[in-house]
Amino acid sequence: EAAVHEFGWKDPVGRRMNYGYEETEGEKWEGTVIGVVRDFNVYSMHRKIEPLVMRLPWSDWPGNCVHVKISGPLHETIGRIEAKYNEILPDFLIDYHLIGELYDNQYQDEQKAFTSLQFGTWIIVIISCLGIFSLSIYMSIRRMKEFGIRKVLGATVGQITLLHVGHFLRIAVIANLVALPIAYWIMNRWLSEFAYHTNINAVLFIAVTTISFLLVIISAGYASLKAGVMNPVDVIRSQG
């Protein structure tokens, strides 16, 4: 398909094409187009799909490579192939590659980056939860007298919890407003290195924001709820 687009052909099947120079022996060939194959990636997604012509060889020599499609146990099958190869061509070393491994090796940098980011993300989440939880407990202790007075004046446990959690939610909103644009810029820069890539969906950022708010509510809500159910008289007396 990429070759058809490059040549500007509208009806490629049946067209004649040639390649090479007549004065170069073995390098001149010509033929008739019998079909068009859908575009596929020979290389990684970093590169655009290039024009490609697939044809029969110009001689009976099969070349230096043989493609073998394996079905069954991988290592056992490869072992049998090696044994048969050494029996037929004992003077030539066998060198083989697995197509799946060749494909995966094109994305080694991305796989390493994914593993590092995944590990780092979990560390950050754990540290963030511990930080919010610790800060929430500290602030609830500092505001214990305030909570006690509010309860005496008729505030419910839910209202006190909402008041305390709301403070941390405002901090979370500010943090997301700062972090999400930076994350969007970094992701765009990384995706721009690929010729073919997905588009960044707003649903992803909504999910991240929702998760961060849930972490804040769970971490800060526990401390404020514990402070809210305490006897207000004991709290005011101890804080006095």
Side-chain angles (χ1 to χ4, degrees):
E1 287 180 331
V4 170
H5 179 74
E6 183 72 19
F7 296 147
W9 291 344
K10 292 184 178 179
D11 187 15
V13 177
R15 283 182 174 266
R16 297 285 296 174
M17 64 184 306
N18 59 73
Y19 171 81
Y21 303 95
E22 294 182 359
E23 61 270 15
T24 305
E25 184 178 354
E27 292 295 328
K28 172 71 176 179
W29 63 267
E30 59 181 337
T32 303
V33 179
I34 61 173
V36 179
V37 178
R38 291 184 182 275
D39 283 339
F40 62 93
N41 285 85
V42 178
Y43 302 102
S44 72
M45 295 293 180
H46 292 89
R47 296 174 56 174
K48 289 185 176 181
I49 297 175
E50 300 175 354
L52 175 69
V53 175
M54 293 181 287
R55 59 173 178 79
L56 294 173
W58 52 63
S59 68
D60 294 333
W61 172 245
N64 297 321
C65 298
V66 177
H67 176 257
V68 180
K69 187 175 183 181
I70 295 177
S71 60
L74 179 63
H75 297 292
E76 293 181 12
T77 306
I78 291 177
R80 289 196 295 268
I81 293 174
E82 286 183 322
K84 180 59 67 174
Y85 178 93
N86 293 328
E87 178 185 333
I88 298 173
L89 297 171
D91 297 329
F92 296 89
L93 294 176
I94 184 173
D95 183 24
Y96 67 89
H97 301 278
L98 300 177
I99 297 298
E101 291 182 356
L102 291 175
Y103 182 81
D104 292 339
N105 289 339
Q106 298 181 99
Y107 301 98
Q108 279 188 346
D109 293 338
E110 285 72 25
Q111 290 172 351
K112 292 177 181 178
F114 174 74
T115 302
S116 301
L117 287 172
Q118 194 176 37
F119 177 77
T121 299
W122 282 111
I123 296 297
I124 291 171
V125 169
I126 293 172
I127 293 175
S128 300
C129 289
L130 292 175
I132 295 172
F133 183 72
S134 301
L135 184 60
S136 177
I137 291 177
Y138 172 74
M139 290 191 64
S140 64
I141 294 175
R142 290 287 303 270
R143 302 178 66 182
M144 198 69 75
K145 185 175 181 178
E146 176 191 343
F147 293 159
I149 294 174
R150 288 180 180 276
K151 284 198 70 176
V152 171
L153 295 177
T156 63
V157 175
Q159 290 173 333
I160 293 175
T161 301
L162 185 61
L163 176 68
H164 190 64
V165 173
H167 173 76
F168 286 93
L169 284 177
R170 286 192 293 271
I171 297 176
V173 169
I174 296 173
N176 279 280
L177 289 176
V178 173
L180 292 184
I182 297 175
Y184 178 80
W185 178 77
I186 293 175
M187 292 171 67
N188 259 335
R189 286 290 302 273
W190 179 67
L191 289 174
S192 65
E193 298 178 0
F194 294 85
Y196 305 95
H197 58 78
T198 185
N199 296 319
I200 300 177
N201 198 327
V203 176
L204 176 64
F205 294 93
I206 296 173
V208 170
T209 304
T210 303
I211 292 172
S212 66
F213 286 171
L214 287 175
L215 292 175
V216 169
I217 293 172
I218 294 172
S219 300
Y222 172 77
S224 58
L225 183 63
K226 187 176 180 180
V229 298
M230 294 182 67
N231 191 325
V233 176
D234 296 334
V235 172
I236 296 173
R237 185 180 301 164
S238 64
Q239 293 291 322

